[in-house]
Amino acid sequence: MAAPQPINVDSLNIYYGDFLAVEDVTVQIEPRSVTALIGPSGCGKSTFLRTLNRMHEVIPGAYAEGTVEIDGENIYHPKVDPVNVRRRVGMVFQKANPFPTMSIRDNVLAGVKLNNRRISKKDADELVETSLKGANLWEEVKDRLDKPGMGLSGGQQQRLCIARTIAVRPEVVLMDEPCSALDPISTLAIEDLIHELKESYTIVIVTHNMQQASRVSDRTGFFNIAGTGKPGHLIEFDDTQKMFTNPENKQTEDYISGRFG
Amino acid sequence: MSTTTSPESTAQAVRPTDERRLPILHLIAMGAVALVLAAVILAVLGTLSVAGVLILGYVLHLVLAYVYSRIREGRRWAADRVMSLAVIGAFAIAMFPLLSLLWEVVIRGGARVVAASPTPFAFWTSDMSGIIGGADAGGVLHATIGTLLITLWASIISIPVGLFTAIFLVEYADTGWRRTLGKGVTFLIDVMTGIPSIVAGLFGLALFLTFMPADDQSMRMGIMGSVALSLLMIPTVVRSSEEMLRLVPMDLREAAYALGVPKWLTIVRVVLRTAIAGLTTGVTLAIARVIGETAPLLLTVGMVTGINWNMFDGRMATLPTFINQQYRSGSATCLNEQVTNPINGEVYACSVSTNIDRAWAAALTLIIIVMVLNVVARLISHYFSPKTGR
């Protein structure tokens, strides 16, 4: 594989219909690293995250303007198929959402099977094992792969969703508050996993938990909103350590130190 | 009542009881008293009947139970007693017609179906060819085949149209002109739901008579009936499927999109697959709704005495129209002890009630078909519904 390239976001405006939700984001996301996005609710960090694999436009009337380059290719070029973008940029959601009609095994293979791609039993077994091992779930479920995915605990379901995402071998994994519905132990399991995953994937994570951002990420972006109905902006983007110890912007400092508003 | 608890009983948690609360026996006794009282009152008035005793007894029971409970148990429990009785009463009122209907049909129809005339269960294996007068013979094979074929074709037309409409409404009619179109479609579906079935029958008839090259106003075909029925079936299918598809969480669609699954595959493999249990139930209800339709079929497919497998040529018999025809024929006249079949020369006994019996037996057949369909749908729902267990 060629040397991984950064994700270049250039003057990205994100809309919901007529409403400009996030304005003028320009940022460079390092490959093989963890980038955390923090900020108050409604500031557009999840919206921004969802534009990185063109999931944003799934919502009726939503669209984005500007360029997002992944591997040197602008994913908002008119000729680019969003389906192909999503195969390269996987996503883990806030709420664990395994497919209720599928077994654990089928959930991991969902990316292959739902696309009607053929896969031999041996390759499938191997893919299930490596993906589940990659998501630190293999030991817990290896004896019940044919049981429904919905039977797992919340934390296990979230790791199953991560396994499902890495089974399609994306270059980038987006995580939208992956731990917000989990207890501290499951959260720790996922955070450990994020550390391992950054060896092979570029990870962008949205979180409300600043301790989590400081624990898992290499770089942090702070989004803020001037008021209701105003667009969100990327206020500051820097190394996590610097952001949490010596932020340049007053807003960032206020938010991080809890003196918000 | 003693409030001290012995050491032995502490291990077993005892739910504290309201000491004013009386055992259920009092309520039952009250019911018995009410029934006796009702019987006495009606006997005095000279209008004693089982139904009268039950209805008056129930009303008296409500009053007695309230008064008695008010005195012995207090106001709140009295209200509880009366509401419980009211709920039980409402349930009984809802169940009574159903059970009564099933009972009547099974008793009356069952007798004719299993009767040895000419052979046991011949009712399901013979048709009405050559059955004349009061012949205690004949059956519904032709009508059953007709009903199944016409309903099958109506389903073949309605299920794809209805399902695709529902998919459009839920998955595609979100913005711009599609949204406008979706609203229009929803409005038209609502209007369609209200079409009287006889009008649907006239539509089926007029459609074919207008577009068929042969200008034969008496032309009848099974497919005409299917088209008429599908007019009644489509709105039901659309409505129920739409509800079911909307129930599929957006999360699942997004999960599939995020794996790089195209929209159409997401709809087929995730949305439809997740909703399949509800979809089957909806489709079964739609089928059950049209399988008993009489009016449109009277107009479009008429009635014959023999089996007709061809949907595109000639009249067909169906169970509802058969029931209608037989019941309207009323009692037969038996001039002789026996009736001869003019086609194959068989000789049958004559029975005055034969037409009515056949109507009830055909009704039983129809109910059995609907019940079998329901069971099949239940099985499909059961085996395809999302699993949540460990």
Side-chain angles (χ1 to χ4, degrees):
Chain A
M1 203 187 279
Q5 294 184 32
I7 302 173
N8 286 312
V9 180
D10 189 25
S11 45
L12 190 70
N13 289 324
I14 311 170
Y15 296 86
Y16 287 101
D18 298 331
F19 175 63
L20 177 61
V22 179
E23 191 174 22
D24 197 24
V25 176
T26 301
V27 70
Q28 190 177 57
I29 294 167
E30 290 302 318
R32 304 280 190 272
S33 72
V34 180
T35 303
L37 303 176
I38 59 172
S41 291
C43 67
K45 54 197 186 308
S46 289
T47 304
F48 170 70
L49 187 79
R50 288 165 64 95
T51 54
L52 297 181
N53 67 344
R54 297 192 64 172
M55 281 296 286
H56 174 64
E57 62 211 69
V58 168
I59 296 160
Y63 65 101
E65 283 171 349
T67 58
V68 176
E69 272 184 16
I70 296 177
D71 259 354
E73 185 196 17
N74 177 16
I75 63 168
Y76 280 95
H77 190 276
K79 281 187 182 156
V80 170
D81 182 356
V83 168
N84 287 330
V85 173
R86 293 178 200 140
R87 283 177 191 165
R88 288 160 50 199
V89 185
M91 186 158 191
V92 177
F93 297 85
Q94 181 172 2
K95 193 166 152 262
N97 51 3
F99 295 112
T101 52
M102 296 184 189
S103 65
I104 293 171
R105 180 188 149 90
D106 285 347
N107 259 295
V108 177
L109 294 173
V112 177
K113 289 200 163 172
L114 290 179
N115 277 312
N116 286 339
R117 248 176 288 143
R118 300 232 168 270
I119 185 166
S120 71
K121 173 125 188 359
K122 192 171 141 283
D123 290 350
D125 288 341
E126 222 173 86
L127 183 61
V128 169
E129 187 171 341
T130 50
S131 305
L132 284 172
K133 277 182 176 161
N136 284 337
L137 191 60
W138 175 250
E139 289 304 321
E140 290 157 67
V141 301
K142 64 180 175 186
D143 300 321
R144 46 171 173 158
L145 290 174
D146 291 323
K147 293 275 165 24
M150 295 293 278
L152 299 174
S153 76
Q156 288 172 326
Q157 286 187 19
Q158 193 59 293
R159 277 180 283 154
L160 179 61
C161 291
I162 295 175
R164 178 175 74 185
T165 305
I166 59 181
V168 295
R169 306 199 195 289
E171 296 151 37
V172 184
V173 177
L174 309 176
M175 297 186 175
D176 190 357
E177 297 179 44
C179 304
S180 64
L182 304 180
D183 68 289
I185 307 221
S186 306
T187 302
L188 191 67
I190 304 244
E191 285 180 8
D192 287 346
L193 177 57
I194 292 172
H195 270 295
E196 291 167 27
L197 289 177
K198 78 172 180 184
E199 305 296 320
S200 7
Y201 305 96
T202 306
I203 292 174
V204 185
I205 177 171
V206 164
T207 178
H208 269 134
N209 182 332
M210 278 178 282
Q211 284 75 34
Q212 180 170 61
S214 64
R215 280 194 300 265
V216 300
S217 69
D218 303 306
R219 287 163 75 76
T220 300
F222 172 62
F223 277 85
N224 203 356
I225 186 169
T228 322
K230 305 252 176 60
H233 286 98
L234 178 61
I235 303 291
E236 193 171 351
F237 187 85
D238 216 324
D239 285 340
T240 299
Q241 212 183 345
K242 182 160 185 303
M243 285 285 279
F244 279 89
T245 51
N246 186 22
E248 298 199 341
N249 193 295
K250 180 80 171 60
Q251 287 181 46
T252 315
E253 195 185 332
D254 286 352
Y255 184 75
I256 284 168
S257 57
R259 285 195 307 271
F260 186 71
Chain B
M1 199 187 231
S2 159
T3 47
T4 50
T5 41
S6 57
E8 293 94 303
S9 70
T10 45
Q12 195 188 344
V14 181
R15 192 169 159 219
T17 49
D18 187 332
E19 46 190 74
R20 288 172 304 170
R21 189 82 159 146
L22 297 167
I24 191 81
L25 206 66
H26 289 254
L27 197 68
I28 295 169
M30 205 55 52
V33 170
L35 281 178
V36 172
L37 206 59
V40 170
I41 292 172
L42 289 175
V44 169
L45 293 175
T47 52
L48 193 62
S49 71
V50 176
V53 169
L54 284 177
I55 293 168
L56 185 61
Y58 175 69
V59 174
L60 286 176
H61 192 187
L62 280 178
V63 176
L64 283 179
Y66 182 76
V67 174
Y68 183 75
S69 173
R70 182 74 202 262
I71 294 163
R72 295 283 308 270
E73 294 180 310
R75 209 176 108 207
R76 201 160 59 81
W77 284 123
D80 177 66
R81 295 288 193 205
V82 168
M83 289 319 285
S84 307
L85 278 176
V87 168
I88 292 168
F91 175 71
I93 290 171
M95 287 307 285
F96 177 75
L98 175 66
L99 293 177
S100 159
L101 181 146
L102 277 180
W103 176 257
E104 278 292 281
V105 172
V106 168
I107 294 299
R108 292 201 179 199
R112 181 62 188 84
V113 169
V114 294
S117 52
T119 50
F121 292 100
F123 190 73
W124 283 339
T125 55
S126 60
D127 56 34
M128 292 293 287
S129 322
I131 305 297
I132 50 165
D136 192 11
V140 287
L141 184 61
H142 62 314
T144 310
I145 289 169
T147 284
L148 290 178
L149 275 180
I150 288 172
T151 314
L152 175 73
W153 276 82
S155 309
I156 290 174
I157 299 168
S158 317
I159 294 173
V161 172
L163 201 55
F164 278 116
T165 308
I167 289 174
F168 170 76
L169 288 177
V170 177
E171 305 288 335
Y172 291 94
D174 47 11
T175 47
W177 66 270
R178 292 206 217 96
R179 192 181 160 85
T180 318
L181 179 60
K183 284 192 169 160
V185 169
T186 307
F187 175 71
L188 290 178
I189 292 291
D190 284 345
V191 173
M192 236 173 130
T193 317
I195 292 180
S197 60
I198 188 84
V199 177
L202 282 171
F203 167 79
L205 195 64
L207 181 75
F208 279 83
L209 293 184
T210 311
F211 289 105
M212 278 292 151
D215 191 24
D216 178 7
Q217 292 297 308
S218 66
M219 183 187 68
R220 298 289 182 272
M221 299 188 298
I223 192 75
M224 292 160 95
S226 296
V227 168
L229 289 187
S230 65
L231 214 64
L232 301 170
M233 206 171 154
I234 287 171
T236 329
V237 175
V238 173
R239 277 281 145 167
S240 62
S241 312
E242 193 191 344
E243 298 285 317
M244 289 307 144
L245 295 183
R246 285 201 199 282
L247 282 182
V248 176
M250 199 57 205
D251 289 1
L252 294 183
R253 295 187 182 91
E254 293 200 336
Y257 294 150
L259 291 171
V261 182
K263 184 161 184 169
W264 73 274
L265 270 174
T266 304
I267 293 169
V268 175
R269 306 286 301 265
V270 177
V271 179
L272 292 183
R273 177 66 189 77
T274 310
I276 190 112
L279 293 176
T280 339
T281 314
V283 165
T284 319
L285 285 177
I287 293 175
R289 159 137 164 57
V290 300
I291 204 167
E293 278 295 345
T294 319
L297 295 180
L298 271 177
L299 286 178
T300 51
V301 297
M303 173 53 70
V304 282
T305 53
I307 295 169
N308 176 10
W309 287 96
N310 192 343
M311 287 291 291
F312 299 93
D313 185 29
R315 291 156 194 268
M316 287 174 101
T318 49
L319 283 168
T321 48
F322 179 84
I323 296 169
N324 172 56
Q325 183 214 33
Q326 293 295 314
Y327 212 90
R328 269 195 312 154
S329 306
S331 299
T333 41
C334 278
L335 300 174
N336 301 312
E337 288 284 295
Q338 289 175 326
V339 183
T340 313
N341 185 332
I343 293 173
N344 54 19
E346 281 176 17
V347 176
Y348 313 113
C350 187
S351 157
V352 176
S353 67
T354 183
N355 292 328
I356 309 289
D357 289 346
R358 276 197 292 258
W360 281 103
L364 177 66
T365 315
L366 192 56
I367 288 181
I368 290 174
I369 291 175
V370 173
M371 271 163 67
V372 167
L373 276 175
N374 264 312
V375 169
V376 171
R378 289 276 153 151
L379 289 178
I380 294 176
S381 312
H382 178 76
Y383 286 110
F384 286 92
S385 58
K387 312 276 187 297
T388 47
R390 268 155 212 271

